[in-house]
Structure formats: structure tokens, C-alpha cells
Amino acid sequence: MTPWRLLPFAFRGAAENMAVDEALLRLAAVPTVRFYGWRPGALSIGYAQDPPQGWKGPLIRRQTGGGAIWHEREVTYSVSGHEDGLAAKNDIRGLYTRAHTGIVAALAEFGIEARIREEGKPRGKDAPFSCFEKPAAGDVVVEGRKIAGSAQRRLRKRLLMHGSVMLAHDPRNGRGGTGILDVLDQEVDAEDLAEALARGFAQGFGVPLAPGSLGEEEEALAERLTLKYESDAWTHRRDGREDDADV
């Protein structure tokens, strides 16, 4: 079985994180898994959301849908590549399930009994502004509180899915969430969680993960896209779907 590429864990700023994910969406030649952190912290909003009124802190718009997330005490993952390589053609929910199965397995390494929420409905248009305000069907929960969730973006036949696994709950993420610190009453290092997630993803997706790095073309595109994600024109856009002119 051909391994998927596993990029090394790294902390980056918000614009660079989103730029790397988009570069992988557009260019990854093999299915690619990436785990990363945010320094400094930032609020991300879903592709279709309006920026919150009066918000004065760091803010970025994602490529993916879903609700707003304050990113700081967490490990974020992304999975990207062609839908054929990801075995994701016409199977949106299946890809979520495989990733979330991996997250459940990773949390179990720390003694946390998590599960994929089956009851309720998937997140819809009437969902709260914050992604972690109210768990939806398919989210990863611990004792009914959301500890991880994901969102996708498809671009022609290519796909990006990314999501957050909380090291600790932050009040800026609403009232329905939790984190590893809240469950265990002890800290878990971000890199230790990323290593457990890599093992969990290999199990959940049923493929080996081989360490790799960004290619030159991916790095060059990510550098250009960082300027896009730093711009007010992208963050405050209201004109619907983008096209390649944004690159």
C-alpha cells in the first residue's frame, strides 16, 4: 500500500497556516497529512461567515465551511489531495468518519474515552456562530461536549479537510466544548498529541504515513497565498465562491 505523506508538526501564524493548507489543496501530488499549531492565536471564520461585529483581535477566513474557532490551545490537522487518492469520491461523510475514528484512537492513548456523536443532525445553516458552541452529528465528543470537529473544501476533484483537536477549552469557543486539560486536569504537549494523532490517522484511514516535507512548488505557492490570507480583501469578502484568480 502506498504511504501517505506526513508533514512535520510546526507552529505558524494564521495566514501561513491557511496558505499551506490551500497550497496542499491545489498541488499535493500524494495524499498529505499535516498537524500544526497557531502562534499567535487567532480567530478563524468559515468561508461563508461574516466577520463578527466589533472583533478587534487576529482574524482570518478559512477555505472551508463551518463555524468560527479561536485557535490557540489545540492541534489542528489537515488532510489534502486528489479525491481518488483519498478514497473520498462521493463519500464526504466517510472521510469525516475515518479522520474522527483516528482522533478517538489518539485520545484513547491519553486515557480519554471519546466517541463520534451519532445523534442529532450535521451542522447546518442555522448552526451557532462558534463551531464549538453546540456539538453536531459526526463531531468527536467527550461526555457530550465537543473536543474535535472538522470541515472540508472541494476544488474540482481535489479536497482539503481540516479540523481542531482541543488541548484545552477556551471561553471564546462558546459553551459546548471541552479539551484534554478539562477532561484529565493535566496538560498534554501539542507535539505529543500530534504524534498520537498520526498513529490514530494511520489506523483510521488504514494507510501508513511516511515522513515528508513540502515541495518547492508547494512552498512557493504557500508564500504567495500568505499575502492573500493577510489581506482585508480576503478576510472581509462577501462575493461568494472564489476562483483561481485569488491565487
Side-chain angles (χ1 to χ4, degrees):
M1 180 176 292
T2 303
W4 291 7
R5 177 175 54 164
L6 174 64
L7 299 180
F9 178 86
F11 287 97
R12 301 174 187 260
E16 190 176 2
N17 270 331
M18 295 297 93
V20 171
D21 274 357
E22 184 178 344
L24 292 170
L25 165 66
R26 294 178 178 275
L27 295 179
V30 298
T32 298
V33 177
R34 174 177 172 245
F35 301 107
Y36 56 92
W38 301 63
R39 285 184 180 169
L43 180 72
S44 79
I45 56 175
Y47 184 83
Q49 288 189 301
D50 290 329
Q53 292 185 353
W55 179 261
K56 300 298 184 183
L59 177 67
I60 195 158
R61 182 181 298 280
R62 302 190 304 271
Q63 279 282 323
T64 55
I69 304 174
W70 175 260
H71 303 275
E72 188 168 15
R73 302 181 72 181
E74 68 172 72
V75 170
T76 309
Y77 81 85
S78 73
V79 176
S80 49
H82 194 281
E83 63 181 20
D84 291 340
L86 295 170
K89 188 175 182 180
N90 301 320
D91 190 21
I92 294 175
R93 302 312 308 175
L95 197 65
Y96 282 121
T97 299
R98 293 192 290 276
H100 290 182
T101 296
I103 293 171
V104 169
L107 292 173
E109 292 192 22
F110 300 98
I112 296 175
E113 187 175 345
R115 68 181 180 89
I116 300 174
R117 191 175 193 266
E118 297 179 355
E119 61 273 21
K121 298 179 179 179
R123 182 181 173 89
K125 293 182 179 180
D126 59 346
F129 179 74
S130 173
C131 178
F132 282 79
E133 179 70 29
K134 182 180 180 181
D139 289 336
V140 180
V141 296
V142 177
E143 297 180 350
R145 301 181 72 84
K146 183 172 179 176
I147 196 168
S150 305
Q152 291 185 13
R153 170 70 197 275
R154 289 182 181 243
L155 183 66
R156 293 177 287 279
K157 294 185 179 295
R158 301 187 62 82
L159 182 142
L160 164 69
M161 182 170 72
H162 56 194
S164 298
V165 185
M166 290 300 169
L167 291 165
H169 178 63
D170 191 296
R172 285 167 286 195
N173 280 323
R175 298 169 293 178
T178 191
I180 293 176
L181 175 62
D182 308 276
V183 176
L184 298 180
D185 197 28
Q186 66 182 46
E187 299 272 2
V188 167
D189 183 76
E191 293 194 41
D192 290 339
L193 177 57
E195 291 176 0
L197 286 166
R199 292 187 290 270
F201 273 40
Q203 175 182 326
F205 287 102
V207 295
L209 303 181
S213 58
L214 290 173
E216 291 184 4
E217 189 178 1
E218 292 167 335
E219 288 190 352
L221 179 56
E223 185 174 345
R224 297 199 303 273
L225 287 169
T226 298
L227 300 176
K228 162 186 159 178
Y229 283 101
E230 289 174 341
S231 71
D232 287 342
W234 167 258
T235 301
H236 296 278
R237 65 181 300 152
R238 293 173 176 268
D239 58 347
R241 297 193 61 82
E242 68 166 334
D243 56 31
D244 289 340
D246 290 305
V247 177

